Every structure is written in C-alpha cells, then in structure tokens.
Amino acid sequence: MFLGPDGWLGIDIGPVGAAVLYAALWLFVIHLSKHSEAAFPPDASLTERQAWVAVAFVTLITIHWLNFMAMLPSLGAAADQISNPASRRFAINFGMTIFAWIVVAGVIRSGNREAVEADERDLRIQHAAGRVGSGVMAVLIIGLISGLATQPEVFSPWLRPLSVANGLVGLLIVKTLTETVYTVVRFRRGYA
Amino acid sequence: MSELTVRNEIRRLRQEKSTMTQAELARICGVTRQTIIALEAEKYSPSLELAFRLARALGCNLEEVFRFEEK
C-alpha cells in the first residue's frame, strides 16, 4: 500500500491496497462535497477551510516522501536512475494526491462562491506563515550543512545525485507543511 | 516604555447604534465574518483602511471605535 511493503501475510497490499486507498479517498471527496459544513471547525472562513485541506494533503505528501527516501538506500545503483520502482510509486502517489487536493479544494470553493477571498487578516496570516516556513527551511538547510560537514557517514546512503535532488524536494515539502500548519494554528488562535 | 495596544468598541457600537449582525458588518467592510469575530475579541488589529471602513459602517468617528491604551 502507501506506507508498507507490497505483501503482508501472503496478502497483496501493493496495487490492491493502493486501489482500496484511492477508493476510500474518492469516497471521502464525495462525502466532503455533500457535508462540507460538518467537516470543518465552526466559523471557519474559506481560506481557513482551504488551509485545513492543505494540512491534510501536505501531510500525506510528506508521508509519501519519507517512505520514498527510506527506500532509496536499499536500491543501490538503481537509485541513480530517474525511473526506478520507488520513484515510480512516489510519482503515482504524489500525482494522485495532488489531483485529489485540487478536486477537494474546488468542491469547497464551489460551496462558498460568495466568500470574501482577499480578506486582509487572511492575507496577513498567509504572509506570516510564509515567513515562518522560510525560517524553518533556513534552519533545516543550516542543520543539513552542519550534518554533512560533521557526520558525513550518516548521510552517505543518500549521497547520490538523484537522492540529493529528492532531498531538496523534501525541503520544499517541509516548508509547505510548516506554512499550512502555522496557518491553521493562527486561524484557531484568532477566535480563542 | 509601557506596552500599548489597540482596543475597540466594535461589538458595543454594532449592538447599540446599528443592531447590525457580524455578517452584515463584514459584508459592508469587505472582510470575512471571522475577521469581525477576531476584531471584537481584540485578537486582531485592523489596517488603517479597514479601521476607517468600520468606523464609517458603524456611523462613528475613528476615535469612538478605536483607542490606543496601555495593556
């Protein structure tokens, strides 16, 4: 399936598990389109609803990416090829997640056509989230530089060109996750 | 230097002078109802432009709606 091995106790949880997960995801999308009011905190604005959806999907993407990075060292020389079993799986999972995110965001937007989208408080929170995300990314880069300089043996399984490239993609994912989590926290704190 | 904060009378003025709902005030000012909730809870300080729009919507001077005082 998404997170585990392809087989477990003789049961194929690879493609079959993924199909079950995708079906569950689409059922969730249909359910959300019918009951979007109940899916979010009361009084949540359109921007806050979109932020909650972003947290869910970016978390899913982060899990895909962590799973993918954990697989890379075991691939050996195959990790240097753009198309390997792990990258294909990651690309499919990533693409499906982005597609589902676009659909869910569209469903929520269509249910709130009258909503104000350029609210100054929403924009201020989003700008603050961008600054926090950039700060976290800077700290991670500095940590990575320090780690590579002082403990290169820890990073050696990933010191291949494509693994480094995928690691840099991870920095962007973590930045986005930080921004979305910060955004929903700021929105919630505003009503306390 | 003492710490200063922006306080407001939006909730009182909205209820006393105009009996406007939060949603109506939000629509007039072009913001979300959530921003009005945050303003009334004094969890958010508005921009100067929004402060003038709020005062105009409530039929008051800026000084009647907002005051700058020590925490």
Side-chain angles (χ1 to χ4, degrees), chain B residues 22 33 42 52 64:
Chain B
Q22 289 175 330
R33 189 167 77 85
E42 297 185 332
F52 274 110
E64 290 178 80

Side-chain angles (χ1 to χ4, degrees), chain A residues 76-174:
Chain A
D80 290 332
Q81 297 170 343
I82 286 179
S83 183
N84 58 60
S87 66
R88 272 198 299 276
R89 179 188 283 197
F90 175 69
I92 292 167
N93 290 341
F94 182 79
M96 286 295 288
T97 307
I98 293 289
F99 183 63
W101 185 358
I102 291 167
V103 171
V104 172
V107 165
I108 292 165
R109 189 180 297 275
S110 67
N112 293 269
R113 286 202 177 91
E114 302 295 314
V116 176
E117 290 194 44
D119 179 84
E120 67 169 45
R121 179 169 161 271
D122 291 352
L123 294 175
R124 206 178 283 186
I125 289 173
Q126 286 171 335
H127 288 157
R131 286 195 299 273
V132 170
S134 299
V136 166
M137 194 162 80
V139 168
L140 285 175
I141 289 171
I142 292 166
L144 204 56
I145 292 166
S146 307
L148 284 166
T150 57
Q151 294 177 310
E153 68 280 0
V154 174
F155 297 91
S156 60
W158 288 277
L159 292 181
R160 292 170 176 275
L162 282 177
S163 298
V164 171
N166 288 314
L168 293 174
V169 169
L171 284 177
L172 293 175
I173 292 171
V174 171

Side-chain angles (χ1 to χ4, degrees), chain A residues 41-53:
Chain A
D43 286 331
S45 66
L46 174 61
T47 310
E48 185 181 350
R49 287 170 190 223
Q50 299 286 23
W52 278 104
V53 170

Side-chain angles (χ1 to χ4, degrees), chain B residues 4-20:
Chain B
L4 294 166
T5 185
V6 177
R7 310 297 303 270
N8 73 72
E9 299 291 335
I10 295 171
R11 180 178 287 141
R12 183 180 62 77
L13 290 166
R14 184 173 58 78
Q15 292 169 345
E16 282 180 9
K17 292 188 81 170
S18 55
T19 63
M20 222 185 292

Side-chain angles (χ1 to χ4, degrees), chain B residues 39-55:
Chain B
L39 281 164
E40 289 187 352
E42 297 185 332
K43 297 274 184 183
Y44 175 67
S45 295
S47 67
L48 191 58
E49 185 187 337
L50 178 56
F52 274 110
R53 274 192 270 150
L54 285 162

